[in-house]
Amino acid sequence: MTRLAVVLLLACCAMAAPAVAQADLFQPIFAVTQHPRCANCHTDTAAPLQRDFRPHQPAVQRGPEGKGVARLTCAGCHKPQNTAAAPGAPDWRMPKAGDAVFRNRPAGDLCRDLREPQRNGGLEPEALGRHFAEDPLIGWAWTPGTGRGSPALSRDHLVVAVASWLRAGAPCPD
């Protein structure tokens, strides 16, 4: 079954489910963002974390474009796919400084950041939905390689949750 068919099936099931409080629509998205596969790079620090929130080795820095600096660029170790030496996905990077920070943030604050293009990498709602659905780096979180866990919510369920949240006007918890 194609990803689109699965997402449409899940969306139909979600529409048939009991009504959810508007502010609760963000909770499944928040749960995924708090997982190390996401929060390790969405930090307020100049360096990413690795594994389960451990300092990154070597001690790389974000850099102005989120891809490292000088000879310690992300692409120096992180290839377009997982390798024995390092996890990988196309265009491996951290978000630019100032974009949404996931780690150690209250759900309401993160929610408000994600719906604001000035804080989410310049993404309007439709583009934000596509980002969650199509970006290979986000997809990597569910195929992270040996010894790394994935978010409990599947990517297909996350895509449906994001679409539902956006369709409702991106309401945020307090």
Side-chain angles (χ1 to χ4, degrees):
M1 188 178 298
T2 67
R3 174 179 294 281
L4 179 59
V6 169
V7 170
L8 289 174
L9 179 64
L10 290 169
C12 290
C13 294
M15 286 188 276
V20 175
Q22 293 267 323
D24 291 342
L25 290 171
F26 188 70
Q27 291 309 318
I29 302 163
F30 182 70
V32 170
T33 66
Q34 299 310 293
H35 193 278
R37 298 300 75 77
C38 303
N40 276 346
C41 290
H42 281 269
T43 69
D44 60 354
T45 63
L49 300 172
Q50 66 185 47
R51 297 271 177 187
D52 294 327
F53 306 121
R54 293 185 227 159
H56 193 284
Q57 294 300 320
V60 299
Q61 298 293 303
R62 177 190 313 266
E65 296 299 313
K67 297 182 179 190
V69 293
R71 293 183 303 207
L72 287 176
T73 63
C74 300
C77 296
H78 298 281
K79 305 307 177 195
Q81 66 283 328
N82 291 332
T83 67
D91 195 26
W92 196 272
R93 67 199 180 281
M94 288 182 75
K96 292 179 184 175
D99 282 351
V101 172
F102 293 179
R103 187 150 157 75
N104 297 324
R105 295 289 304 287
D109 291 350
L110 177 55
C111 179
R112 286 181 283 281
D113 282 355
L114 283 179
R115 69 183 185 191
E116 293 297 327
Q118 306 89 317
R119 301 282 297 157
N120 74 11
L123 302 174
E124 295 295 335
E126 185 177 315
L128 182 63
R130 280 194 311 273
H131 177 65
F132 277 99
E134 300 171 6
D135 189 299
L137 188 52
I138 290 175
W140 168 83
W142 287 272
T143 57
T146 306
R148 294 175 193 89
S150 297
L153 188 67
S154 73
R155 187 177 194 186
D156 289 337
H157 280 93
L158 173 64
V159 168
V160 169
V162 169
S164 297
W165 173 67
L166 291 172
R167 193 170 38 255
C172 294
D174 292 330

